[in-house]
Amino acid sequence: MQTRILGKNGPTVSALGLGAMGMSGAYGVADRGESIATVHAALDAGVTLIDTGDFYAAGHNELLLAEALRDRPRDSYLLSVKTGLLLRPGGMPGGNDARPEAIRSNLTYSLTRLGTDHVDIYRPARLDPAVPIEETVGAIKELVEAGLVRYVGLSEMNAETIRRAHAVHPISDLQIEYSLISRAVETEVLPTLRELGIGLTAYGVLSRGLISGHWTTERTTRPADSDHRALSPRFAADNVEHNLALVEELRKIAAARDCTVAQLAIAWVAAQDPAVVPLVGARTRTRLAEALPAAQLELTADELALIERAVPAGSARGDRYPSAFMANLGVGN
């Protein structure tokens, strides 16, 4: 496994990270044993960065990771934890709370659930409009000074907010959705990260499976009740066929390179900057095994040009989140 450095202020991590959200039912029922086996397989393959959130299934994800990591040396992996997103009964988002007192309390719970004495990267999941980002980052800075957190990260924030946060404490990385069909980050956010020397951990690199090469319209018509994709505009009946036609163009390029569509899409994200680390949301060993070779896949300038022509920026239909959630994002699609 190759490694990358999350900007000039962050840690060295594996070139691919593991996003654990799907292991706690976000995309339908997940198998606990298979999820744990997938974490083990990722670590055995050299993956060192594992991403979670204290609100993923109301703490279930942290408890799952604690079980999976119990017998692994603590210095063999890095935990990235998002916080601040509130949940209503039933699991739907209920706003944000990034007050310093909430940040400190949430970390206490996370450390207990994860069974660890520190979190490697701690980050607010969204900007709390009621709390200046300086106060939120200042609270995490205190946790760094106390030895409970190693690095300060951000998630889904715009360029101005990134600058303000970075002025309080060096930011290791911004976590934000970035894929061939989610490219709003390229306009202002990515240039700002490069200027400030901040890394980017990219989630949604396969757009929740839409551009993985495995999604079909038949799956769209029968989403599980617990599958968040049932609410996603890009998976809606009036958009999904158009978006899957883009995937077919990618499939031609992947075939010529003798790789899968998923590998091509992941490698494209990694090729955008040396400080970009794609997070792979695999919840089975099979999907993980398919994703891992993407870390070794170096795309040529000609291949990148072909991909750009096949899926130009703005070519997807539908927002990346339901309209009610778009206002909380640092950038759009």
Side-chain angles (χ1 to χ4, degrees), residues 183-243:
R183 296 175 59 177
V185 66
E186 295 174 344
T187 304
E188 294 184 354
V189 170
L190 191 53
T192 300
L193 297 180
R194 288 171 175 152
E195 175 192 340
L196 299 177
I198 298 173
L200 188 155
T201 44
Y203 76 89
V205 293
L206 298 179
S207 195
R208 297 159 184 81
L210 181 60
I211 60 172
S212 67
H214 301 295
W215 195 263
T216 64
T217 54
E218 288 75 17
R219 290 182 67 185
T220 303
T221 59
R222 296 189 299 275
D225 291 340
S226 60
D227 193 328
H228 291 184
R229 288 171 291 199
L231 303 174
S232 173
R234 287 184 176 166
F235 288 84
D238 53 346
N239 292 329
V240 70
E241 289 192 9
H242 169 86
N243 294 333

Side-chain angles (χ1 to χ4, degrees), residues 179-181 205-206 210-213 243-257 259-262 264-266 268 303-304 306-312:
S179 74
L180 270 165
I181 63 173
V205 293
L206 298 179
L210 181 60
I211 60 172
S212 67
N243 294 333
L244 288 178
L246 300 176
V247 177
E248 292 310 305
E249 294 302 309
L250 291 177
R251 201 182 302 277
K252 299 173 186 176
I253 303 171
R257 184 57 194 266
C259 67
T260 69
V261 174
L264 189 76
I266 296 168
W268 180 89
E303 289 169 333
L304 290 169
L306 282 174
I307 293 169
E308 181 67 29
R309 286 196 292 272
V311 187

Side-chain angles (χ1 to χ4, degrees), residues 1-331:
M1 174 62 67
Q2 297 177 1
T3 60
R4 293 190 167 196
I5 303 175
L6 287 179
K8 66 181 181 182
N9 301 300
T12 297
V13 300
S14 50
L16 294 180
L18 179 65
M21 184 178 74
M23 298 178 182
S24 292
Y27 305 122
V29 178
D31 182 273
R32 186 178 188 85
E34 181 60 26
S35 295
I36 291 173
T38 301
V39 173
H40 291 167
L43 293 171
D44 292 342
V47 172
T48 60
L49 180 63
I50 301 176
D51 181 76
T52 184
D54 59 18
F55 49 87
Y56 288 172
H60 173 277
N61 202 241
E62 290 181 321
L63 292 170
L64 177 71
L65 288 177
E67 183 177 349
L69 299 169
R70 185 169 297 139
D71 297 324
R72 299 287 176 146
R74 183 61 181 86
D75 61 358
S76 67
Y77 59 87
L78 291 88
L79 287 170
S80 166
V81 179
K82 293 182 292 296
T83 190
L85 185 64
L86 302 177
L87 298 177
R88 298 189 179 99
M92 292 298 292
N96 300 284
D97 188 352
R99 295 171 300 149
E101 54 266 42
I103 293 292
R104 290 188 287 267
S105 178
N106 291 350
L107 179 68
T108 302
Y109 283 108
S110 285
L111 293 175
T112 299
R113 284 190 292 258
L114 289 164
T116 184
D117 63 356
H118 71 279
V119 162
D120 297 287
I121 309 173
Y122 202 48
R123 68 183 84 240
R126 298 289 188 272
L127 179 66
D128 183 343
V131 181
I133 190 62
E134 290 85 354
E135 294 184 16
T136 301
V137 172
I140 304 177
K141 176 183 178 180
E142 293 175 1
L143 297 172
V144 172
E145 293 168 347
L148 301 173
V149 170
R150 297 289 187 262
Y151 300 93
V152 182
L154 299 173
S155 177
E156 285 289 354
M157 303 207 178
N158 63 26
E160 178 190 0
T161 304
I162 294 166
R163 291 183 184 279
R164 290 168 53 194
H166 191 65
V168 176
H169 186 278
I171 302 301
S172 66
D173 67 302
L174 171 75
Q175 186 176 127
I176 198 165
E177 185 166 354
Y178 190 22
S179 74
L180 270 165
I181 63 173
S182 295
R183 296 175 59 177
V185 66
E186 295 174 344
T187 304
E188 294 184 354
V189 170
L190 191 53
T192 300
L193 297 180
R194 288 171 175 152
E195 175 192 340
L196 299 177
I198 298 173
L200 188 155
T201 44
Y203 76 89
V205 293
L206 298 179
S207 195
R208 297 159 184 81
L210 181 60
I211 60 172
S212 67
H214 301 295
W215 195 263
T216 64
T217 54
E218 288 75 17
R219 290 182 67 185
T220 303
T221 59
R222 296 189 299 275
D225 291 340
S226 60
D227 193 328
H228 291 184
R229 288 171 291 199
L231 303 174
S232 173
R234 287 184 176 166
F235 288 84
D238 53 346
N239 292 329
V240 70
E241 289 192 9
H242 169 86
N243 294 333
L244 288 178
L246 300 176
V247 177
E248 292 310 305
E249 294 302 309
L250 291 177
R251 201 182 302 277
K252 299 173 186 176
I253 303 171
R257 184 57 194 266
D258 194 25
C259 67
T260 69
V261 174
Q263 290 164 358
L264 189 76
I266 296 168
W268 180 89
V269 173
Q272 302 312 300
D273 193 278
V276 172
V277 175
L279 296 173
V280 177
R283 53 181 176 155
T284 67
R285 285 168 287 182
T286 299
R287 289 289 179 257
L288 176 69
E290 179 185 8
L292 288 173
Q296 313 295 330
L297 183 59
E298 295 186 7
L299 300 174
T300 67
D302 288 343
E303 289 169 333
L304 290 169
L306 282 174
I307 293 169
E308 181 67 29
R309 286 196 292 272
V311 187
S315 57
R317 288 184 183 170
D319 290 335
R320 59 189 178 101
Y321 280 97
S323 58
F325 300 153
M326 289 297 292
N328 292 327
L329 302 178
V331 297

